[in-house]
Amino acid sequence: MKTTGFSAQHGQRGAKQPALVDRHGVWRNWGRSAQSRPSGVEQPGTEDQLLALLRAAHREGRRVKVVGGGHSFTDIAATDGTLISLDRLQGLTRVDPVSGLVSLLGGTRVWRISDALEPYGLALANMGDIDRQSIAGALATGTHGTGLGFTGYSGMLRSVRIALADGTVLTASAQHHPELFQAARVGLGAIGVLLEVTLQCVPAFTVSAAEHPEPLEHMIESFVQRSREVDHLEFYWFQHTQLAATKSNMRQEAGVSRRPLTRRQHLLDDELLGNGGLRLLCEAGRAIPRAVPALNRFAATAMGDRQYSDRSDRIFVSPRRTRFREMEYAVPLEDFEEVFREVMAAVNGCGSGITFPVEVRTAGADDTWLGTASGRESAYFALHRFVKEDHVPFFAAVEPILRAAGGRPHWGKIHTMDAPDLARVYPRFEDFRRVRAQVDPGGMFANAYLDRVVGRG
Ligand SMILES: Cc1cc2nc3c(=O)[nH]c(=O)nc-3n(C[C@H](O)[C@H](O)[C@H](O)COP(=O)(O)OP(=O)(O)OC[C@H]3O[C@@H](n4cnc5c(N)ncnc54)[C@H](O)[C@@H]3O)c2cc1C
């Protein structure tokens, strides 16, 4: 057992955190799709300071919102009350190398976790596309990666230490306060402040990545079956192309010899082509929309034709420097092919200016209340739009298809569903609302997003 704290600036990639609000007092999310003007901004340096803030707000009937990395595309983290960042409350608090149970402070950024676990021979079992989130923020929205044998972070969660609206601190797990634990697993920031979370981690592993373009029709027909054979399969499809840019990642023991990308390859493929190239593609597509089909064909082939292997997090995660907006829905896996064909027709029907690809992933069923893969194996459809373009008509053209398929929207990505809609796709939705009403009857953690997706009380 060992405790390792991180300061907000600690670590190789720990560039100084940008200010939470600009000089006009405005907070904005990464995707520039949500903003608010908090009445106050706090960065407590100790848990006692945080609890004092919560108790004062509770006494005075003020609203508060904890923000993680601000990487949700919805206004889930927006508030006109007090905005609290836990960037000064990061760290690994407990590690048990035998059981693989790992405890982290809620504010810990995901990118710090893999380095911190390496000395113990442990790793996160799966990860999403980026690691800029806080672990509590990632849990709050049901963040996931790809792979039918795996769940999102909330499926890995074993217990939480949580501060409720009145400042009470409880430890909740499947054994203790089980309903509070269930509500907090994908808690939407509505249940309380996650002070510390304990995750089931796994022995460290290497991932061998194969990336190449292949005929789209073959991918559509074989995706479900191949998702059962490949540990982590995903593909990207660009509008008006017949290609799938495929990523097939297989897990290997940590000790196998690795073939990581050289620094030059990384700079060329991920930074120059992946980020710079994508930005150029988007700007060119905006200037000359009729050139987009040709640009997209180029992008689908240029996106990757390579094989390499590395520590798991270095394969799962990629830098994302070109800002965009995203909508993502999870549908039952067995409906993937039918839904994909409908989505493809709708996207191709949106003129010719869509430069960002549709991303398709999977997750295994989990037993969370509000996780997008709760109770069912899921296929994810993610649609993106360059930040300088209007995402509304594009998302509106596709969202009805995903909703009609019984889709569940990612809680941190743009969607139009409200509480009655969501109650129809989540069997435990009313349980979540009941627990929320018990622990935050005054709506101290409420905001406009929660009013829409969960209701006012
Ligand atoms: C470029 C990019 C790539 C992405 N890739 C993926 C992906 O691959 N897979 C995926 O599933 N998602 C992905 N997302 C979405 C992202 O993972 C989620 O929106 C996630 O919630 C963001 O975490 P955050 O720390 O930024 O949280 P924020 O957006 O800051 O907050 C989200 C919610 O968490 C709550 N919260 C934060 N800290 C706490 C706390 N300590 N206690 C209680 N509640 C808290 C907030 O109040 C809010 O309700 C991506 C987003 C971006 C911008």
Side-chain angles (χ1 to χ4, degrees):
M1 302 283 237
K2 183 154 176 171
T3 301
T4 314
F6 306 125
S7 73
Q9 275 84 43
H10 168 97
Q12 286 179 359
R13 287 177 288 162
K16 202 164 177 289
Q17 299 292 339
L20 272 182
V21 292
D22 68 14
R23 62 196 168 90
H24 306 293
V26 175
W27 169 86
R28 287 184 181 78
N29 66 345
W30 182 89
R32 303 295 184 258
S33 47
Q35 66 175 54
S36 62
R37 192 187 293 271
S39 58
V41 174
E42 301 285 351
Q43 281 199 298
T46 66
E47 194 172 300
D48 283 346
Q49 287 171 8
L50 169 64
L51 295 176
L53 285 169
L54 295 180
R55 288 180 185 129
H58 188 254
R59 230 178 11 250
E60 294 157 20
R62 286 185 284 111
R63 285 186 168 185
V64 303
K65 184 58 56 191
V66 179
V67 66
H71 272 60
S72 295
F73 296 93
T74 53
D75 51 351
I76 190 168
T79 185
D80 53 10
T82 304
L83 189 67
I84 301 179
S85 160
L86 302 190
D87 270 348
R88 293 171 66 202
L89 293 175
Q90 304 194 45
L92 184 63
T93 52
R94 265 189 306 275
V95 181
D96 183 342
V98 178
S99 67
L101 290 176
V102 167
S103 302
L104 298 151
L105 295 181
T108 306
R109 295 299 178 110
V110 173
W111 63 261
R112 296 180 187 277
I113 299 175
S114 302
D115 283 349
L117 293 184
E118 188 167 43
Y120 304 98
L122 294 173
L124 291 165
N126 198 5
M127 298 176 78
D129 288 347
I130 58 154
D131 56 7
R132 302 289 103 181
Q133 312 94 329
S134 67
I135 187 63
L139 288 161
T141 64
T143 294
H144 64 92
T146 191
L148 279 183
F150 306 90
T151 66
Y153 292 120
S154 298
M156 307 171 198
L157 190 66
R158 293 296 171 265
S159 70
V160 295
R161 209 157 53 76
I162 185 169
L164 304 181
D166 62 3
T168 308
V169 176
L170 292 175
T171 297
S173 65
Q175 291 76 36
H176 302 284
H177 305 293
E179 292 215 313
L180 177 65
F181 175 62
Q182 275 297 0
R185 282 172 89 184
V186 181
L188 315 181
I191 303 299
V193 179
L194 297 181
L195 303 172
E196 189 179 9
V197 300
T198 299
L199 298 173
Q200 179 65 61
C201 291
V202 299
F205 57 103
T206 293
V207 174
S208 153
E211 299 175 3
H212 57 268
E214 61 177 89
L216 179 65
E217 192 55 35
H218 177 243
M219 175 50 87
I220 298 173
E221 286 170 5
S222 62
F223 180 71
V224 172
Q225 182 214 324
R226 283 163 68 186
S227 292
R228 300 201 181 286
E229 295 159 3
V230 175
D231 293 329
H232 306 275
L233 179 68
E234 68 184 296
F235 75 93
Y236 295 85
W237 167 68
F238 289 83
Q239 187 198 38
H240 296 308
T241 68
Q242 289 302 320
L243 287 173
T246 307
K247 290 188 178 196
S248 306
N249 293 338
M250 294 299 284
R251 299 161 84 94
Q252 298 177 309
E253 282 180 16
V256 300
S257 72
R258 295 174 178 165
R259 286 173 295 122
L261 292 176
T262 61
R263 195 170 155 65
R264 204 165 143 259
Q265 281 172 314
H266 169 70
L267 278 175
L268 184 71
D269 293 356
D270 294 334
E271 293 297 349
L272 211 66
L273 283 173
N275 280 296
L278 189 57
R279 190 178 179 91
L280 269 178
L281 176 78
C282 294
E283 297 284 9
R286 247 162 64 83
I288 322 168
R290 68 175 188 286
V292 168
L295 291 168
N296 277 353
R297 275 193 296 280
F298 169 74
T301 42
M303 212 169 140
D305 199 346
R306 56 186 187 171
Q307 296 203 8
Y308 56 104
S309 60
D310 210 335
R311 194 176 78 177
S312 53
D313 59 303
R314 297 184 187 132
I315 301 284
F316 289 139
V317 168
S318 307
R320 294 278 191 267
R321 300 194 213 288
T322 301
R323 287 183 206 266
F324 56 85
R325 277 80 181 259
E326 184 171 342
M327 173 178 81
E328 183 177 51
Y329 271 78
V331 307
L333 181 70
E334 60 270 23
D335 299 331
F336 158 76
E337 184 170 342
E338 194 184 331
V339 177
F340 187 86
R341 291 188 192 285
E342 285 184 52
V343 168
M344 187 166 66
V347 171
N348 281 338
C350 286
S352 62
I354 310 296
T355 38
F356 260 87
V358 176
E359 181 182 15
V360 180
R361 295 183 281 181
T362 62
D366 64 44
D367 60 354
T368 58
W369 281 359
L370 293 192
T372 44
S374 170
R376 64 191 201 194
E377 288 187 318
S378 298
Y380 289 88
F381 290 78
L383 285 89
H384 313 80
R385 200 85 218 257
F386 184 40
V387 71
K388 292 186 183 173
E389 293 167 333
D390 182 7
H391 61 274
V392 176
F394 176 48
F395 291 177
V398 181
E399 193 177 16
I401 296 166
L402 299 170
R403 286 180 60 158
R408 294 168 174 164
H410 189 302
W411 297 101
K413 301 186 183 177
I414 293 165
H415 68 93
T416 63
M417 288 177 84
D418 61 16
D421 299 326
L422 290 156
R424 282 191 281 277
V425 290
Y426 282 106
R428 305 304 297 267
F429 194 75
E430 284 309 320
D431 292 312
F432 180 86
R433 282 169 45 95
R434 178 172 48 76
V435 172
R436 181 194 181 211
Q438 285 163 5
V439 294
D440 187 16
M444 189 170 106
F445 297 118
N447 63 5
Y449 180 78
L450 290 178
D451 288 351
R452 169 163 73 92
V453 301
V454 198
R456 282 174 188 265

